Amino acid sequence: MLRVAVVGSGPSGVYTAQSLVEQHTVPGVRVDVLDRLPCPYGLVRYGVAPDHEKIKSLQNNLRTALELPGVTFLGNVAVGNGPGEVTPRRLLELYHAVVYCVGAATDRRLGIPGEDLPGSFSATDFVSWYSAHPDAVPGGFALEARSAVVIGVGNVAVDVARVLARHADDLRPTDVPDAALAALAASRVREIHMVGRRGPAHARFTTKELRELGALPGAGAHVRADEAALDPAWADPSALPAAARRNVEVLRGWSGRPETDGPRRIRLRFFLRPVALLGDDAVRAVRFERTAPDGNGGVVGTGRFEEIEARLVLRSVGYRGVPIPGLPFDPDRGTVPHDQGRVLRDGAPSPGEYVAGWIKRGPTGVIGTNRPCAKETVGALLTDARALLARRPAEDPLTALRAAGGEPVEWPGWLGIEAAEAALGRRLGRGTVKIPDWEGLLTAARSTSGTPVN
């Protein structure tokens, strides 16, 4: 029997586990899906916006895969070399193979003065807060500000702008934690500037999300035609790829709108590059340099500057992988070096170690991109199976993890968390409401599993 550990229970990890147990090349594969959190589903649970119910329903598909025969979920298991963590070397003693599907856990930085001033946050911090991630900053966002700047023009930027612009009553039916919902209800943010350094044709959001942003009740979206027109494709987007063409067409429609006096206004700005966050004790404004197309798809600075007042700044310029202690890491790419998913140590494949998902290819693609990525890695692992089976794992992994002082949350514990979140929602007169803290999650897991969870 081939025993495999998959580290990470987001889409890439679940698709890897599913591919392993549903293949017919090597019979009897058993997969333990490990996660640092007591909850599965990764960014589908903690990254998809709460008002995107259709995308969040993908959890049902991931759940089906995690309940397949031969798959075991073990949450509350951290991989590393810190206290209470299991090292990659130890995992190789417990399993024939380990596949790391840990995603990209941090944000890219702007690298400009003032970036760390109070009032400046990564968009991921904000997403984690309203998504009830147990590691999230417990509030503290400057929602008393009247003006906010979102730096970036991708889907995460659209998500945070939309949540800032929504009326809190629209979020009440979602699983947003109660404290975040109350803070959003009390928000005084009225102007939201979403800013990109290039033009509309290079924006990375999907058209569906863009249209949704422009259809929010009481929140008019506006584009400045004079700066958008700097994009060569603005006047005639017909030669653009389909997705970019649709985005430009939507934005052109917004450029003709008069600015409304509604409760909130969303302004999409282009050809502005952030050069500094201004303020003494907290952010008060963002200084941008006007850019211009360089003729090769990039931009150049013009030496002209503009300041946008903002007491809240959310930086959304991409994700980045972080090193896993004990694994090789390419700091330039933010990935683990690999060949078709096989981890490379000093340029040679490391027997039994594999990667899939963002830690393999970088933070690119959509959720579905993880399927072919996982399939390639699984193909490499199965090709290596005969050699992997020549080594016998030291002992039963679950027994060993417990003996080392860990207390994995098994599937019944996760079901206990689900039940507790449903009960919390009923008490609050809402639907399911997420538990936002480690203590609450582990207490809920303990209540159903019957096993103490440290």
Side-chain angles (χ1 to χ4, degrees):
M1 178 178 67
L2 183 68
R3 293 204 64 106
V4 180
V6 171
V7 181
S9 66
S12 64
V14 173
Y15 294 153
T16 297
Q18 184 176 15
S19 295
L20 282 165
V21 298
E22 290 184 342
Q23 54 77 37
H24 302 290
T25 305
V26 178
V29 177
R30 297 196 64 83
V31 181
D32 289 350
V33 178
L34 314 180
D35 203 291
R36 186 178 70 86
L37 299 175
C39 310
Y41 312 139
L43 281 180
V44 176
R45 175 175 167 91
Y46 287 119
V48 174
D51 56 348
H52 279 179
E53 293 296 333
K54 185 174 181 179
I55 302 175
K56 288 176 72 69
S57 69
L58 177 63
Q59 291 185 38
N60 297 328
N61 297 23
L62 301 181
R63 180 193 192 100
T64 298
L66 287 172
E67 291 179 333
L68 287 170
V71 177
T72 300
F73 172 73
L74 299 176
N76 198 35
V77 177
V79 176
N81 58 11
E85 297 178 341
V86 56
T87 65
R89 177 177 293 183
R90 180 58 172 153
L91 286 177
L92 276 181
E93 294 173 353
L94 299 175
Y95 296 91
H96 292 104
V98 184
V99 186
Y100 294 91
C101 306
V102 294
T106 191
D107 293 83
R108 294 185 181 277
R109 291 180 60 82
L110 296 170
I112 61 176
E115 186 169 7
D116 296 318
L117 279 170
S120 168
F121 302 88
S122 76
T124 300
D125 287 341
F126 192 62
V127 171
S128 294
W129 171 68
Y130 67 61
S131 296
H133 194 293
D135 291 337
V137 180
F141 298 97
L143 296 178
E144 72 280 0
R146 293 193 61 82
S147 178
V149 166
V150 179
I151 299 174
V153 284
N155 277 344
V156 175
V158 172
D159 281 346
V160 298
R162 190 180 65 254
V163 169
L164 282 172
R166 269 204 185 281
H167 195 285
D169 286 347
D170 295 336
L171 295 171
R172 185 172 177 78
T174 73
D175 59 10
V176 169
D178 219 44
L181 183 66
L184 290 167
S187 169
R188 298 178 61 193
V189 174
R190 294 295 177 265
E191 293 190 354
I192 301 148
H193 307 264
M194 191 163 70
V195 187
R197 64 185 179 88
R198 295 195 289 178
H202 293 95
R204 302 299 296 271
F205 32 65
T206 58
T207 308
K208 180 179 181 297
E209 294 230 356
L210 182 62
R211 286 177 175 147
E212 188 178 8
L213 187 66
L216 293 177
H222 182 75
V223 175
R224 270 183 49 174
D226 60 330
E227 62 187 18
L230 296 171
D231 192 321
W234 180 253
D236 181 8
S238 60
L240 292 173
R245 184 185 70 249
R246 290 192 295 267
N247 283 344
V248 171
E249 288 170 348
V250 171
L251 293 169
R252 287 175 65 189
W254 293 2
S255 69
R257 291 179 173 180
E259 290 208 51
T260 65
D261 292 325
R264 292 181 172 92
R265 286 178 284 191
I266 304 167
R267 294 189 173 103
L268 276 77
R269 303 292 307 276
F270 296 99
F271 293 109
L272 291 173
R273 176 168 60 199
V275 294
L277 272 60
L278 307 177
D280 297 321
D281 300 325
V283 172
R284 62 170 178 79
V286 184
R287 176 175 290 156
F288 293 92
E289 181 181 17
R290 168 69 64 192
T291 61
D294 65 3
N296 297 307
V299 293
V300 294
T302 65
R304 293 183 287 117
F305 297 89
E306 175 180 339
E307 292 179 10
I308 298 179
E309 179 186 351
R311 301 301 173 112
L312 172 62
V313 177
L314 299 174
R315 313 178 309 270
S316 179
V317 292
Y319 292 101
R320 180 174 174 79
V322 297
I324 301 171
L327 280 185
F329 187 72
D330 181 343
D332 294 328
R333 296 175 55 86
T335 58
V336 171
H338 72 94
D339 179 13
Q340 295 183 313
R342 295 179 178 92
V343 171
L344 298 177
R345 291 183 181 270
D346 298 321
S350 176
E353 294 185 308
Y354 303 85
V355 284
W358 279 0
I359 200 63
K360 170 186 174 184
R361 67 181 191 273
T364 61
V366 295
I367 290 174
T369 310
N370 290 295
R371 281 195 182 275
C373 177
K375 185 176 180 180
E376 179 189 56
T377 296
V378 168
L381 191 158
L382 295 175
T383 298
D384 302 340
R386 183 183 295 273
L388 297 173
L389 284 165
R391 181 178 54 81
R392 183 182 297 273
E395 53 193 301
D396 173 69
L398 184 56
T399 301
L401 290 170
R402 286 176 172 161
E407 196 54 61
V409 171
E410 299 178 73
W411 194 250
W414 159 241
L415 297 181
I417 293 171
E418 281 193 319
E421 291 182 336
L424 174 60
R426 288 193 295 271
R427 290 197 300 274
L428 295 171
R430 298 172 55 192
T432 295
V433 174
K434 285 182 185 171
I435 296 170
D437 61 282
W438 277 97
E439 182 180 357
L441 291 170
L442 295 178
T443 298
R446 183 188 306 123
S447 69
T448 298
S449 66
T451 302
V453 179
N454 296 331

